[in-house]
């Protein structure tokens, strides 16, 4: 323990959040292994990125993502845009076919991404 550790904020999510953050992505990974469809593999990858890493090491993931955003803003924005595109595509895929899902997901992602950039600029 250092002399300033009591002043450093630490992030410890509730135990249920951490358990769900591990169980849900692992179940989707097993589903992807069994089904071998594009959507199931994309669900597994997306949930592993969004939920699994913060569930295993929440503070490290938060610090590294903040450092990544600060040091490499273009790569971070490209990653966040790709994550949004995948998320919207997968949600729309339940209701629409593939071409319509990707087009609408791409449009929604670009809309939210530019809105985020405009809000952050102010």
């Amino acid at each position: 323990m250092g002399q300033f550790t009591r002043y450093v904020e630490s992030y410890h999510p509730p135990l249920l959040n951490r358990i769900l953050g591990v169980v849900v992505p692992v179940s989707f990974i097993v589903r992807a292994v069994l089904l071998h469809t594009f959507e199931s593999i994309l669900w597994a990858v997306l949930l592993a990125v969004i939920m699994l890493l913060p569930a295993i090491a929440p503070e490290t993931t938060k610090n590294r993502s903040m450092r990544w955003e600060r040091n490499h803003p273009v790569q971070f924005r490209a990653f966040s845009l790709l994550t949004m595109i995948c998320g919207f595509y997968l949600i729309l895929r339940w209701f629409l076919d593939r071409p319509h899902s990707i087009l609408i997901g791409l449009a929604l992602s670009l809309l939210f991404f530019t809105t985020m950039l405009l809000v952050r600029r102010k």
Side-chain angles (χ1 to χ4, degrees):
M1 290 284 188
Q3 80 184 58
F4 298 111
T5 53
R6 64 180 171 188
Y7 300 110
V8 177
E9 288 185 26
S10 61
Y11 175 65
H12 300 290
L15 184 63
L16 181 63
N17 288 1
R18 292 186 80 170
I19 290 172
L20 286 176
V22 171
V23 170
V24 171
V26 168
S27 64
F28 273 85
I29 290 170
V30 169
R31 182 174 176 247
V33 168
L34 296 176
L35 290 182
H36 298 293
T37 62
F38 174 69
E39 282 82 10
S40 62
I41 293 170
L42 195 58
W43 268 115
V45 170
L46 186 67
L47 289 178
V49 168
I50 291 175
M51 294 178 72
L52 191 61
L53 294 176
I56 293 172
E59 197 164 337
T60 304
T61 305
K62 179 182 158 192
N63 292 337
R64 286 188 180 181
S65 66
M66 288 171 52
R67 189 175 344 131
W68 187 28
E69 182 181 11
R70 184 179 60 245
N71 294 340
H72 306 285
V74 174
Q75 290 91 347
F76 184 79
R77 288 176 184 159
F79 176 75
S80 63
L81 181 64
L82 184 64
T83 306
M84 279 195 290
I85 291 170
C86 291
F88 280 126
Y89 167 75
L90 289 170
I91 291 170
L92 290 169
R93 186 66 181 101
W94 285 342
F95 308 108
L96 304 170
D97 55 344
R98 279 188 180 171
H100 293 107
S101 297
I102 193 66
L103 289 175
I104 295 171
L106 183 64
L108 285 173
S109 298
L110 289 174
L111 176 74
F112 282 115
F113 186 73
T114 54
T115 304
M116 176 204 59
L117 290 177
L118 291 174
V119 167
R120 282 189 163 199
R121 185 169 282 192
K122 290 182 179 181

